[in-house]
Amino acid sequence: MLLDSFGRVATDLRVSLTDRCNLRCTYCMPEEGLQWLAKPDLLTDEEIVRLVRIAVTGLGITEVRFTGGEPLLRPGLVGIVAACAALEPRPRLSLTTNGIGLERVAGALREAGLDRVNVSLDTTDPEVFHRMTRRRRHGDVLRGLAAARAAGLTPVKVNSVLMPGLNDGEAPALLDWAMEEGYELRFIEQMPLDAQHGWQREGMITAGDILASLRSRHTLTPEREEERGSAPAERWLVDGGPYRVGIIASVTRPFCRACDRTRLTADGQVRTCLFARQETDLRGALRSGRPDGAIAGIWRRAMWGKKAGHGLDDPSFEQPDRPMSAIGG
């Protein structure tokens, strides 16, 4: 069990498979100049599977989410998914992706044992997409979403970040589009995890702003608190249901008291929180020949030291040294 000193138990593991990405989203990384991890520093496919096995069979993890960077850039992704799907007890397996390349591999991922996907898409407008991501790949993402739906990787969730001066007025249009396509839409407040450290709380699009925009076109009814559980997204019934829209308000409505996550970076570091500035090395333990039990013990000690909250409201808060592309969303 991965228990912390505040009584929270981690059952959800987020695994970053690479720090690389084929987009350059303005809220995540600079247009150029970001230094990638060297290949020897990355966990091998076998090391990833071993750590997931330790987490699932020895530490109580029941859900595994593969992230990046962009996890579809990992050559061994399908094999990693298949190996994790074969574990006993079998964890629920999901993937967070920008959708580029998903059209090609959605079926293979489903056959390997992937249960569902989250796809990042911030706009319905190809030109706005280009300004936000610095790439002209909007059509690729739409085809990837459709392929995921056709392959049965459901519910297909769409994650959207609203940015001032770029797509801040698009919340109602995104919701209408997602309902028409049958995707579950979740808005995510912009977080201080950009490589250029340009995030500012002042002027960011908040959960309150998003709700006000959505209510200009739809009636929203809050989901009951007990239905949310430890999920990061608050959800609302749209026009009486059954469709629901979610908002992950990590900045203005933090959910730290119910957090059940532990994170593993692409180079084998445990992070107890997305915003943590300290990491615990598991890669070194793996490569020095430590047995599974010893590695599990290191992981348990790391999680015991998890802080009560992410500290964004603390005046002394410092943004993590690593951007989201290196940590995993």
Coordinates of all heavy atoms in Angstrom, one line a residue, residues 191-253:
M191 N -1.7 25.3 -15.7 CA -1.0 25.1 -14.5 C 0.5 25.6 -14.7 O 1.0 25.7 -15.8 CB -1.0 23.6 -14.1 CG -2.3 23.1 -13.8 SD -2.3 21.3 -13.4 CE -2.2 20.6 -15.0
P192 N 1.2 25.9 -13.6 CA 2.6 26.4 -13.7 C 3.5 25.3 -14.0 O 4.4 25.0 -13.1 CB 2.8 27.1 -12.3 CG 1.9 26.3 -11.4 CD 0.7 25.9 -12.2
L193 N 3.5 24.8 -15.2 CA 4.3 23.6 -15.6 C 4.9 23.9 -17.0 O 5.3 22.9 -17.7 CB 3.5 22.3 -15.5 CG 3.1 21.9 -14.1 CD1 2.1 20.7 -14.3 CD2 4.3 21.4 -13.3
D194 N 5.0 25.1 -17.4 CA 5.6 25.4 -18.7 C 7.1 25.5 -18.6 O 7.6 26.0 -17.7 CB 5.0 26.7 -19.3 CG 5.1 27.9 -18.3 OD1 4.8 27.7 -17.2 OD2 5.6 28.9 -18.8
A195 N 7.7 25.1 -19.7 CA 9.2 25.0 -19.7 C 9.8 26.4 -19.6 O 10.9 26.6 -19.0 CB 9.7 24.3 -20.9
Q196 N 9.1 27.4 -20.1 CA 9.7 28.8 -20.1 C 9.3 29.6 -18.9 O 9.7 30.7 -18.7 CB 9.2 29.5 -21.4 CG 7.7 29.6 -21.5 CD 7.0 28.5 -22.3 OE1 7.5 27.4 -22.2 NE2 6.0 28.8 -23.1
H197 N 8.6 28.9 -17.9 CA 8.2 29.6 -16.7 C 7.5 30.9 -16.9 O 7.8 31.9 -16.2 CB 9.4 29.8 -15.8 CG 10.0 28.5 -15.2 ND1 10.7 28.4 -14.0 CD2 9.8 27.2 -15.6 CE1 11.1 27.2 -13.8 NE2 10.5 26.4 -14.7
G198 N 6.6 30.9 -17.8 CA 5.9 32.1 -18.2 C 4.5 32.2 -17.5 O 3.7 33.2 -17.8
W199 N 4.1 31.1 -16.8 CA 2.7 31.1 -16.2 C 2.5 32.2 -15.2 O 3.4 32.6 -14.4 CB 2.6 29.8 -15.5 CG 1.2 29.6 -14.8 CD1 0.1 29.2 -15.4 CD2 0.9 29.9 -13.4 NE1 -1.0 29.1 -14.5 CE2 -0.5 29.5 -13.3 CE3 1.6 30.3 -12.4 CZ2 -1.1 29.7 -12.0 CZ3 1.0 30.5 -11.1 CH2 -0.4 30.1 -11.0
Q200 N 1.4 32.8 -15.3 CA 1.0 33.9 -14.3 C -0.4 33.6 -13.9 O -1.3 33.4 -14.7 CB 1.1 35.3 -14.9 CG 2.5 35.7 -15.2 CD 2.6 37.1 -15.7 OE1 1.6 37.7 -16.1 NE2 3.8 37.7 -15.7
R201 N -0.7 33.7 -12.6 CA -2.0 33.4 -12.0 C -3.0 34.5 -12.5 O -4.1 34.3 -12.8 CB -2.0 33.3 -10.5 CG -3.3 32.9 -9.9 CD -3.2 32.8 -8.4 NE -4.4 32.3 -7.8 CZ -4.4 31.1 -7.2 NH1 -3.3 30.4 -7.0 NH2 -5.5 30.7 -6.7
E202 N -2.5 35.7 -12.5 CA -3.3 36.9 -13.0 C -3.6 36.7 -14.5 O -2.7 36.6 -15.3 CB -2.6 38.2 -12.7 CG -2.3 38.5 -11.3 CD -1.1 37.7 -10.7 OE1 -0.3 37.2 -11.5 OE2 -1.0 37.6 -9.5
G203 N -4.9 36.8 -14.8 CA -5.3 36.7 -16.2 C -5.6 35.3 -16.7 O -6.1 35.1 -17.8
M204 N -5.3 34.3 -15.9 CA -5.5 32.9 -16.3 C -7.0 32.7 -16.4 O -7.8 33.3 -15.7 CB -4.9 31.9 -15.4 CG -5.4 31.8 -14.0 SD -4.9 30.4 -13.0 CE -5.9 29.1 -13.7
I205 N -7.5 31.7 -17.3 CA -8.9 31.4 -17.4 C -9.2 30.4 -16.3 O -8.7 29.3 -16.2 CB -9.2 30.8 -18.8 CG1 -8.6 31.6 -19.9 CG2 -10.7 30.5 -18.9 CD1 -9.2 33.0 -19.9
T206 N -10.1 30.8 -15.4 CA -10.3 30.0 -14.2 C -11.6 29.1 -14.4 O -12.3 29.3 -15.4 CB -10.6 30.9 -13.0 OG1 -11.8 31.6 -13.2 CG2 -9.5 31.8 -12.7
A207 N -11.8 28.2 -13.5 CA -13.0 27.4 -13.5 C -14.2 28.2 -13.5 O -15.2 27.9 -14.2 CB -13.0 26.4 -12.3
G208 N -14.2 29.3 -12.7 CA -15.4 30.2 -12.7 C -15.6 30.9 -14.0 O -16.8 31.0 -14.5
D209 N -14.6 31.2 -14.7 CA -14.7 31.8 -16.0 C -15.3 30.8 -17.0 O -16.2 31.1 -17.8 CB -13.3 32.3 -16.6 CG -12.7 33.4 -15.8 OD1 -13.4 34.2 -15.2 OD2 -11.5 33.4 -15.7
I210 N -14.8 29.6 -16.9 CA -15.3 28.5 -17.9 C -16.8 28.3 -17.6 O -17.6 28.2 -18.6 CB -14.5 27.3 -17.7 CG1 -13.0 27.5 -18.1 CG2 -15.1 26.1 -18.5 CD1 -12.1 26.4 -17.6
L211 N -17.2 28.1 -16.3 CA -18.6 27.9 -16.0 C -19.5 29.0 -16.5 O -20.6 28.8 -17.1 CB -18.7 27.7 -14.5 CG -18.2 26.4 -13.9 CD1 -18.3 26.4 -12.4 CD2 -19.1 25.2 -14.4
A212 N -19.0 30.2 -16.3 CA -19.9 31.4 -16.8 C -20.0 31.3 -18.3 O -21.1 31.6 -18.8 CB -19.2 32.7 -16.3
S213 N -19.0 31.0 -19.0 CA -19.1 30.9 -20.5 C -20.0 29.8 -20.9 O -20.8 30.0 -21.8 CB -17.7 30.7 -21.0 OG -17.7 30.6 -22.4
L214 N -19.9 28.6 -20.3 CA -20.8 27.5 -20.6 C -22.2 27.8 -20.3 O -23.1 27.4 -21.1 CB -20.3 26.2 -19.9 CG -18.9 25.7 -20.3 CD1 -18.6 24.5 -19.4 CD2 -18.9 25.2 -21.7
R215 N -22.5 28.5 -19.2 CA -23.8 28.8 -18.8 C -24.5 29.9 -19.7 O -25.7 30.1 -19.6 CB -23.9 29.2 -17.4 CG -23.7 28.0 -16.4 CD -23.6 28.4 -15.0 NE -23.7 27.3 -14.1 CZ -23.1 27.1 -13.0 NH1 -22.3 28.0 -12.5 NH2 -23.3 26.0 -12.2
S216 N -23.7 30.5 -20.6 CA -24.3 31.4 -21.5 C -25.1 30.7 -22.6 O -25.9 31.3 -23.3 CB -23.2 32.3 -22.2 OG -22.4 31.5 -23.1
R217 N -24.9 29.4 -22.7 CA -25.6 28.6 -23.7 C -26.3 27.3 -23.2 O -27.2 26.8 -23.8 CB -24.5 28.1 -24.8 CG -25.2 27.6 -26.0 CD -24.1 27.2 -27.1 NE -23.3 28.4 -27.5 CZ -22.4 28.4 -28.4 NH1 -22.1 27.2 -29.0 NH2 -21.7 29.5 -28.8
H218 N -25.8 26.9 -22.0 CA -26.4 25.6 -21.4 C -26.7 25.8 -20.0 O -26.2 26.6 -19.3 CB -25.4 24.5 -21.6 CG -25.1 24.1 -23.0 ND1 -25.9 23.4 -23.8 CD2 -24.0 24.5 -23.8 CE1 -25.4 23.2 -25.0 NE2 -24.2 23.9 -25.0
T219 N -27.6 24.9 -19.5 CA -27.9 24.8 -18.1 C -27.1 23.7 -17.5 O -27.0 22.6 -18.0 CB -29.4 24.5 -17.8 OG1 -30.2 25.5 -18.4 CG2 -29.7 24.3 -16.3
L220 N -26.3 24.1 -16.4 CA -25.4 23.1 -15.8 C -25.9 22.8 -14.4 O -26.1 23.7 -13.6 CB -24.0 23.7 -15.7 CG -23.4 24.1 -17.1 CD1 -21.9 24.6 -16.9 CD2 -23.4 22.9 -18.0
T221 N -26.0 21.5 -14.0 CA -26.4 21.1 -12.7 C -25.2 20.3 -12.1 O -24.7 19.4 -12.7 CB -27.6 20.2 -12.8 OG1 -28.6 20.8 -13.5 CG2 -28.1 19.8 -11.4
P222 N -24.7 20.7 -10.9 CA -23.5 20.1 -10.3 C -23.8 18.6 -10.0 O -24.9 18.2 -9.6 CB -23.3 20.8 -9.0 CG -24.0 22.1 -9.2 CD -25.2 21.8 -10.1
E223 N -22.8 17.8 -10.3 CA -22.9 16.4 -9.9 C -22.8 16.2 -8.4 O -22.1 17.1 -7.8 CB -21.7 15.6 -10.6 CG -21.6 14.2 -10.4 CD -20.4 13.5 -11.1 OE1 -19.3 13.9 -10.8 OE2 -20.7 12.7 -12.0
R224 N -23.4 15.2 -7.9 CA -23.3 15.0 -6.4 C -21.9 14.7 -6.0 O -21.2 14.0 -6.7 CB -24.3 13.9 -6.0 CG -25.7 14.3 -6.1 CD -26.6 13.1 -5.7 NE -26.4 11.9 -6.5 CZ -26.9 10.7 -6.4 NH1 -27.8 10.6 -5.4 NH2 -26.7 9.7 -7.2
E225 N -21.5 15.2 -4.8 CA -20.1 15.1 -4.4 C -19.7 13.6 -4.3 O -18.6 13.3 -4.6 CB -20.0 15.8 -3.0 CG -18.5 15.8 -2.5 CD -17.6 16.7 -3.4 OE1 -18.1 17.7 -4.0 OE2 -16.4 16.4 -3.4
E226 N -20.6 12.7 -3.8 CA -20.3 11.3 -3.7 C -20.0 10.7 -5.0 O -19.3 9.6 -5.1 CB -21.3 10.6 -2.9 CG -22.7 10.6 -3.6 CD -23.6 11.8 -3.0 OE1 -23.0 12.8 -2.5 OE2 -24.8 11.6 -3.0
E227 N -20.5 11.2 -6.1 CA -20.2 10.6 -7.5 C -18.8 11.0 -7.9 O -18.3 10.2 -8.8 CB -21.3 11.2 -8.5 CG -22.7 10.7 -8.2 CD -23.6 11.2 -9.3 OE1 -23.6 10.5 -10.4 OE2 -24.3 12.2 -9.1
R228 N -18.3 12.0 -7.4 CA -16.9 12.5 -7.8 C -15.9 11.6 -7.3 O -14.9 11.2 -7.9 CB -16.7 13.9 -7.4 CG -15.3 14.4 -7.9 CD -15.1 15.8 -7.4 NE -13.8 16.3 -7.8 CZ -13.3 17.5 -7.5 NH1 -14.0 18.3 -6.7 NH2 -12.1 17.9 -7.9
G229 N -16.0 11.2 -6.0 CA -14.9 10.4 -5.4 C -13.6 11.1 -5.4 O -13.5 12.3 -5.0
S230 N -12.5 10.4 -5.8 CA -11.2 11.0 -5.9 C -10.9 11.5 -7.2 O -9.7 11.9 -7.5 CB -10.1 10.0 -5.5 OG -10.2 8.9 -6.4
A231 N -11.8 11.6 -8.2 CA -11.6 12.1 -9.5 C -11.2 13.5 -9.5 O -11.7 14.3 -8.7 CB -12.8 11.9 -10.4
P232 N -10.2 13.9 -10.3 CA -9.8 15.3 -10.3 C -10.8 16.3 -10.8 O -10.8 17.5 -10.5 CB -8.5 15.3 -11.1 CG -8.7 14.1 -12.0 CD -9.4 13.1 -11.2
A233 N -11.7 15.8 -11.7 CA -12.7 16.7 -12.4 C -14.0 16.9 -11.6 O -14.6 15.9 -11.2 CB -13.0 16.2 -13.8
E234 N -14.4 18.1 -11.3 CA -15.8 18.4 -10.9 C -16.6 18.3 -12.2 O -16.2 18.7 -13.3 CB -15.9 19.8 -10.3 CG -15.2 20.0 -9.0 CD -15.4 21.4 -8.5 OE1 -16.5 21.7 -8.0 OE2 -14.5 22.2 -8.7
R235 N -17.8 17.7 -12.1 CA -18.6 17.5 -13.3 C -20.0 18.1 -13.1 O -20.5 18.2 -12.0 CB -18.7 16.0 -13.6 CG -17.4 15.4 -14.0 CD -17.6 14.1 -14.7 NE -18.4 13.1 -13.9 CZ -18.7 11.9 -14.3 NH1 -18.4 11.5 -15.6 NH2 -19.4 11.1 -13.6
W236 N -20.6 18.5 -14.2 CA -21.9 19.1 -14.2 C -22.7 18.4 -15.3 O -22.3 18.1 -16.4 CB -21.8 20.6 -14.6 CG -21.3 21.4 -13.5 CD1 -22.1 22.2 -12.6 CD2 -20.0 21.7 -13.1 NE1 -21.2 22.8 -11.7 CE2 -20.0 22.5 -12.0 CE3 -18.7 21.2 -13.6 CZ2 -18.8 23.0 -11.4 CZ3 -17.6 21.6 -13.0 CH2 -17.6 22.5 -11.9
L237 N -24.0 18.1 -15.0 CA -25.0 17.6 -16.0 C -25.3 18.8 -16.9 O -25.5 19.9 -16.5 CB -26.2 17.1 -15.3 CG -26.2 15.8 -14.7 CD1 -27.5 15.6 -13.9 CD2 -26.1 14.7 -15.7
V238 N -25.3 18.5 -18.2 CA -25.6 19.6 -19.2 C -27.0 19.5 -19.6 O -27.5 18.4 -20.1 CB -24.7 19.4 -20.4 CG1 -25.0 20.5 -21.5 CG2 -23.2 19.5 -20.0
D239 N -27.8 20.5 -19.4 CA -29.2 20.6 -19.8 C -30.0 19.4 -19.3 O -30.8 18.8 -20.0 CB -29.3 20.7 -21.3 CG -28.7 21.9 -21.9 OD1 -28.7 23.0 -21.2 OD2 -28.2 21.9 -23.0
G240 N -29.7 19.0 -18.0 CA -30.4 17.9 -17.4 C -29.9 16.5 -17.6 O -30.4 15.6 -17.1
G241 N -28.9 16.4 -18.5 CA -28.2 15.1 -18.7 C -28.8 14.4 -19.9 O -29.7 14.9 -20.6
P242 N -28.2 13.3 -20.3 CA -27.2 12.5 -19.5 C -25.8 13.0 -19.6 O -24.9 12.6 -19.0 CB -27.3 11.1 -20.0 CG -27.7 11.3 -21.4 CD -28.6 12.5 -21.4
Y243 N -25.5 13.9 -20.6 CA -24.1 14.4 -20.9 C -23.6 15.2 -19.7 O -24.3 16.0 -19.1 CB -24.1 15.2 -22.2 CG -22.7 15.5 -22.6 CD1 -22.0 14.6 -23.5 CD2 -21.9 16.5 -22.1 CE1 -20.7 14.8 -23.9 CE2 -20.6 16.8 -22.5 CZ -20.0 15.9 -23.4 OH -18.7 16.1 -23.7
R244 N -22.3 14.9 -19.4 CA -21.6 15.6 -18.3 C -20.4 16.3 -18.9 O -19.7 15.8 -19.7 CB -21.2 14.7 -17.2 CG -22.3 14.2 -16.3 CD -21.9 13.1 -15.4 NE -22.8 12.8 -14.3 CZ -23.8 12.0 -14.5 NH1 -24.0 11.4 -15.6 NH2 -24.7 11.7 -13.5
V245 N -20.1 17.5 -18.3 CA -18.9 18.2 -18.7 C -18.1 18.4 -17.4 O -18.6 18.6 -16.3 CB -19.1 19.6 -19.3 CG1 -19.9 20.5 -18.4 CG2 -17.8 20.2 -19.8
G246 N -16.7 18.2 -17.5 CA -15.9 18.3 -16.3 C -14.9 19.5 -16.3 O -14.6 20.0 -17.4
I247 N -14.5 19.9 -15.2 CA -13.5 21.0 -15.0 C -12.5 20.5 -14.0 O -12.9 20.2 -12.9 CB -14.0 22.3 -14.6 CG1 -15.0 22.8 -15.7 CG2 -12.9 23.3 -14.5 CD1 -15.7 24.2 -15.3
I248 N -11.2 20.5 -14.4 CA -10.1 20.1 -13.4 C -9.5 21.5 -13.0 O -8.8 22.1 -13.8 CB -9.1 19.2 -14.1 CG1 -9.7 17.9 -14.4 CG2 -7.9 19.0 -13.1 CD1 -8.8 16.9 -15.1
A249 N -9.8 21.9 -11.8 CA -9.4 23.3 -11.4 C -8.3 23.1 -10.4 O -8.4 23.5 -9.2 CB -10.6 24.0 -10.8
S250 N -7.1 22.6 -10.8 CA -6.0 22.4 -9.9 C -5.6 23.7 -9.2 O -5.0 23.6 -8.1 CB -4.8 21.8 -10.7 OG -5.2 20.6 -11.2
V251 N -5.7 24.8 -9.8 CA -5.2 26.1 -9.2 C -6.2 26.7 -8.3 O -5.9 27.0 -7.1 CB -4.9 27.1 -10.4 CG1 -4.4 28.4 -9.8 CG2 -3.8 26.5 -11.3
T252 N -7.5 26.9 -8.8 CA -8.5 27.6 -8.0 C -9.4 26.7 -7.1 O -10.0 27.2 -6.2 CB -9.4 28.5 -8.9 OG1 -10.1 27.6 -9.8 CG2 -8.5 29.4 -9.7
R253 N -9.5 25.4 -7.4 CA -10.3 24.5 -6.6 C -9.5 23.2 -6.4 O -9.9 22.2 -6.9 CB -11.6 24.2 -7.3 CG -12.5 25.5 -7.6 CD -13.8 25.1 -8.2 NE -14.6 26.2 -8.5 CZ -15.9 26.2 -8.9 NH1 -16.5 25.0 -9.0 NH2 -16.5 27.3 -9.2

